[in-house]
Amino acid sequence: MADTPKYIFVTGGVTSSLGKGILAASLAKLLQLRGYNTIIQKFDPYINVDPGTLNPYEHGECYVTDDGAETDLDLGHYERFLNVPTSQSNNVTTGRIYETVIQRERKGEYFGKTVQVIPHITDEIKRRFMLINENSTFDIIITEIGGTVGDIESLPYIEALRQFRYDYGPENCLVIHLTLLPYLAAAGELKTKPTQHSVKLLLQSGIQPDILVCRSEHKIPADVRQKVARFCNVRLEEVIENLNASTIYEVPFLLKKENLDTVVLKKLDLKPKQEPDMTVWKKFVSRLKNPSDEITIGLVGKYVELHDSYLSIAESLKIAGAENELDVHIDWIHSEDLNPENRDRLLGHLDGILVAPGFGERGVDGKILAVQYAREKKVPFFGICLGMQMAVVEFARNVMAWPEANSTEFNPKTDHPVIDLMAAQQQVHQLGGTMRLGSYECTVKRNTLAHNAYQVTRVYERHRHRWELNNEFRKQMERKGLIMSGCNPDNDLVEIIELKDHPFFLGTQFHPEYKSTVESPHPLFLAFVNAAQLRHSDVSQETVLPEANG
Ligand code: GLN
């Protein structure tokens, strides 16, 4: 299409957690299926330069892109829905905006002027709105503004949006406002007042939203839609119902039913190029919603109270399960709770064990116990990043008989530092963007579980770590059965480990969960889920056979 893309902004009103990310991803999917090259970016109003330094309890998982950006977890939704990679420019925070402006000020680039929120911060926000298109030619750019309208910290974004829309032309720039219609049981009614107030707040900032997407737990009756339209200055067709869905992957269908995509195209003066072909998506959702069996995976981690901390892992498991019509039930196991006494009880019923990534010593012993259980009882095992490192430590301690073996992250003085700080990390003292981040090549060894899954010998996977398998101990461990099935071709860093004589025991230094999408489930997650399914059917065979025979 034209080299000037159309812009859609998504703002949120009434309350947080209404699902702006899912709305943006679902709309983008519909527009993509209609033949428009669509991308999504997110602007977050917090002061951290990126979420890399945030504790997962604060903000859920930190999602990593190919170019090594540590970003908001919504980018994971964007990639899983759109099946196109995102990058550093897809996620911008207030911290990054200020960092740029302050650096410019220090260089004297403002020529002695007073540097202010308006125009300097807002100008930088507007520049960033467009930066994503610098080396691409998107037809449509969807920009999600984090936070809720009315928040002090969102104000510069709303002001930048007002100016941008005015400069860029309202016919090229839409604002979709996501709000809530709460249901009052006592009155038996959906209430519109919070939405009216939220739109008034936007109007105070000079923005009339073009479309209102209304989250609701009940179908929105015609008179309520009419009321929202009348009080908020939009047409009836521009009030879109957004009911709770049984899975986030169903949201594109719900929004299509409400004609969100056609209303958007009409308002942007774009012709629908084609009917969206939803076949692949439909098949996926149907498998997801109609599983023929269920498997249980134990996810062992230390942030399990907040499931969003492991969002991409959980979604990757779900996506891999759907491929085989399996419902993957996740048993969230707190690694700090695991001990030798309760180990059998907490892990005995599992079809597969996944030991999660992490930083710091808390819960590490539980992770090692879970690895040992999976290795000894031949339960399918998948270790990711710290999970892989703990698999190596467990092997060193219990197979190599090096009882003090450890990662130097937890014991810098150990005699057997089987996991050690990478050479390139020795001089790093600053946090934030300093880990080994992003996509690196990995050569996969033939005749291994990994090769069986990938079916190719060269893959690229995303990383986020400082420690690595110490090659000094590699030969000795290989002799005892630890297989290094994937290595970086440039520096020989071990990327994948596995075990012989085990149905499925595999650990990756990288994070495969960042690359699993609906249209392209990750081969290692597929292989792990398959192995778990096999174990599940073996175990159920054992339990039903005697009766069946009898
Ligand atoms: N803490 C480990 C490291 O930095 C593992 C990191 C992770 O699991 N992402 O190497």
Side-chain angles (χ1 to χ4, degrees):
M1 214 185 66
D3 36 337
T4 50
K6 301 276 187 179
Y7 274 86
I8 301 172
F9 288 87
V10 177
T11 58
V14 181
T15 161
S16 58
S17 306
L18 289 183
K20 287 192 296 291
I22 302 298
L23 166 62
S26 302
L27 174 60
K29 186 76 220 169
L30 292 174
L31 297 172
Q32 184 193 54
L33 289 173
R34 284 206 178 264
Y36 287 99
N37 186 8
T38 308
I39 193 74
I40 321 175
Q41 56 182 345
K42 177 158 193 200
F43 282 66
D44 273 312
Y46 51 73
I47 315 282
N48 304 62
V49 173
D50 61 44
T53 54
L54 284 173
N55 184 315
Y57 286 136
E58 286 284 311
H59 210 62
E61 132 189 309
C62 172
Y63 186 79
V64 179
T65 57
D66 276 339
D67 65 348
E70 297 177 287
T71 71
D72 185 80
L73 52 72
D74 271 340
L75 271 74
H77 288 309
Y78 306 164
E79 289 204 14
R80 285 187 287 276
F81 275 63
L82 292 184
N83 201 30
V84 293
T86 55
S87 72
Q88 179 71 74
S89 43
N90 293 73
N91 191 198
V92 178
T93 68
T94 293
R96 197 171 288 282
I97 303 271
Y98 271 80
E99 188 187 45
T100 313
V101 171
I102 290 170
Q103 276 170 6
R104 223 176 268 153
E105 183 270 335
R106 294 288 84 184
K107 287 194 211 145
E109 290 179 14
Y110 293 109
F111 305 108
K113 286 266 179 223
T114 310
V115 180
Q116 295 180 297
V117 172
I118 304 170
H120 303 103
I121 295 297
T122 44
D123 279 355
E124 178 58 15
I125 295 176
K126 287 192 289 179
R127 189 182 73 86
R128 297 264 181 178
F129 283 163
M130 296 197 285
L131 201 60
I132 195 161
N133 206 42
E134 203 175 54
N135 298 315
S136 317
T137 45
F138 293 111
D139 299 328
I140 301 175
I141 296 171
I142 301 184
T143 304
E144 179 190 345
I145 307 284
T148 308
V149 166
D151 294 347
I152 291 177
E153 51 187 23
S154 301
L155 282 174
Y157 292 96
I158 300 297
E159 169 58 14
L161 165 53
R162 183 190 68 77
Q163 297 177 15
F164 185 84
R165 185 151 79 149
Y166 186 78
D167 297 342
Y168 207 71
E171 68 287 2
N172 296 319
C173 184
L174 276 189
V175 177
I176 300 182
H177 192 51
L178 177 64
T179 75
L180 174 72
L181 298 182
Y183 180 76
L184 282 198
E189 267 178 6
L190 289 173
K191 304 307 281 185
T192 65
K193 197 70 83 191
T195 295
Q196 294 178 41
H197 280 299
S198 175
V199 170
K200 283 215 174 84
L201 269 179
L202 268 179
L203 281 169
Q204 270 170 24
S205 304
I207 294 172
Q208 165 64 50
D210 299 284
I211 295 172
L212 293 174
V213 176
C214 304
R215 282 296 304 272
S216 169
E217 285 172 2
H218 297 268
K219 281 204 82 50
I220 308 177
D223 60 327
V224 177
R225 282 188 195 244
Q226 189 62 258
K227 197 167 167 185
V228 172
R230 189 165 299 142
F231 279 103
C232 302
N233 324 312
V234 292
R235 294 195 190 97
L236 199 55
E237 62 172 20
E238 292 153 5
V239 178
I240 305 288
E241 172 186 84
N242 186 188
L243 294 173
N244 290 353
S246 60
T247 144
I248 54 170
Y249 300 103
E250 209 175 14
V251 178
F253 293 105
L254 299 182
L255 296 177
K256 184 164 182 297
K257 240 190 181 155
E258 288 282 300
N259 298 319
L260 176 63
D261 53 337
T262 43
V263 173
V264 162
L265 290 177
K266 192 165 124 198
K267 288 192 80 77
L268 287 174
D269 202 17
L270 293 173
K271 303 253 157 328
K273 289 192 193 177
Q274 61 199 42
E275 264 309 296
D277 179 1
M278 312 275 290
T279 326
V280 174
W281 204 261
K282 212 177 250 167
K283 217 182 254 170
F284 167 73
V285 172
S286 146
R287 288 204 203 109
L288 193 66
K289 289 182 70 179
N290 305 295
S292 46
D293 208 349
E294 179 187 87
I295 56 167
T296 304
I297 302 294
L299 196 158
V300 183
K302 67 169 171 176
Y303 307 110
V304 291
E305 301 92 331
L306 181 70
H307 296 180
D308 270 0
S309 306
Y310 304 107
L311 183 67
S312 291
I313 293 180
E315 295 306 309
S316 299
L317 286 171
K318 211 184 279 176
I319 289 171
E323 196 69 13
N324 290 351
E325 289 176 25
L326 279 179
D327 181 16
V328 180
H329 170 77
I330 298 178
D331 225 354
W332 302 89
I333 297 168
H334 205 302
S335 48
E336 276 184 304
D337 292 345
L338 263 180
N339 58 51
E341 282 72 53
N342 65 19
R343 196 180 77 154
D344 289 8
R345 181 170 57 78
L346 292 181
L347 306 178
H349 61 293
L350 299 173
D351 301 313
I353 294 176
L354 190 152
V355 176
F359 297 84
E361 195 166 11
R362 185 169 67 90
V364 153
D365 291 341
K367 289 189 171 176
I368 296 174
L369 262 182
V371 175
Q372 185 183 9
Y373 184 90
R375 183 178 57 78
E376 291 177 352
K377 306 277 183 192
K378 309 245 186 259
V379 183
F381 167 82
F382 197 4
I384 299 181
C385 208
L386 183 64
M388 169 269 198
Q389 296 176 351
M390 290 308 98
V392 175
V393 169
E394 193 280 327
F395 186 87
R397 288 185 187 176
N398 299 324
V399 179
M400 303 305 294
W402 299 331
E404 296 300 313
N406 213 330
S407 161
T408 53
E409 183 177 0
F410 313 124
N411 178 6
K413 299 212 171 70
T414 170
D415 288 343
H416 289 95
V418 287
I419 303 292
D420 202 5
L421 197 60
M422 282 181 280
Q425 288 287 327
Q426 310 276 357
Q427 304 311 323
V428 173
H429 300 295
Q430 196 166 333
L431 299 179
T434 56
M435 283 187 243
R436 179 172 181 248
L437 288 165
S439 181
Y440 287 93
E441 186 178 338
C442 167
T443 309
V444 182
K445 207 184 258 172
R446 288 183 193 279
N447 302 318
T448 58
L449 285 176
H451 186 259
N452 213 7
Y454 280 117
Q455 298 283 315
V456 290
T457 53
R458 190 208 282 180
V459 296
Y460 291 84
E461 294 284 2
R462 299 183 193 172
H463 299 72
R464 185 173 187 245
H465 66 120
R466 295 186 201 279
W467 276 263
E468 63 170 319
L469 192 148
N470 187 345
N471 277 341
E472 200 185 308
F473 298 98
R474 185 162 154 183
K475 283 268 149 337
Q476 284 164 281
M477 293 198 283
E478 275 177 327
R479 261 179 248 126
K480 287 267 195 167
L482 193 67
I483 301 165
M484 316 294 168
S485 54
C487 288
N488 179 293
D490 303 319
N491 56 15
D492 209 26
L493 195 122
V494 174
E495 295 279 11
I496 315 177
I497 58 124
E498 48 190 82
L499 281 184
K500 276 200 202 102
D501 305 325
H502 191 288
F504 188 94
F505 188 104
L506 187 138
T508 59
Q509 184 57 79
F510 51 77
H511 292 257
E513 72 274 21
Y514 297 142
K515 284 188 74 169
S516 203
T517 72
V518 166
E519 278 149 55
S520 172
H522 196 286
L524 294 181
F525 274 93
L526 286 174
F528 174 54
V529 164
N530 278 342
Q533 184 182 16
L534 277 178
R535 177 180 168 84
H536 179 76
S537 42
D538 279 356
V539 174
S540 12
Q541 286 288 318
E542 275 167 33
T543 41
V544 298
L545 268 182
E547 224 183 54
N549 288 343

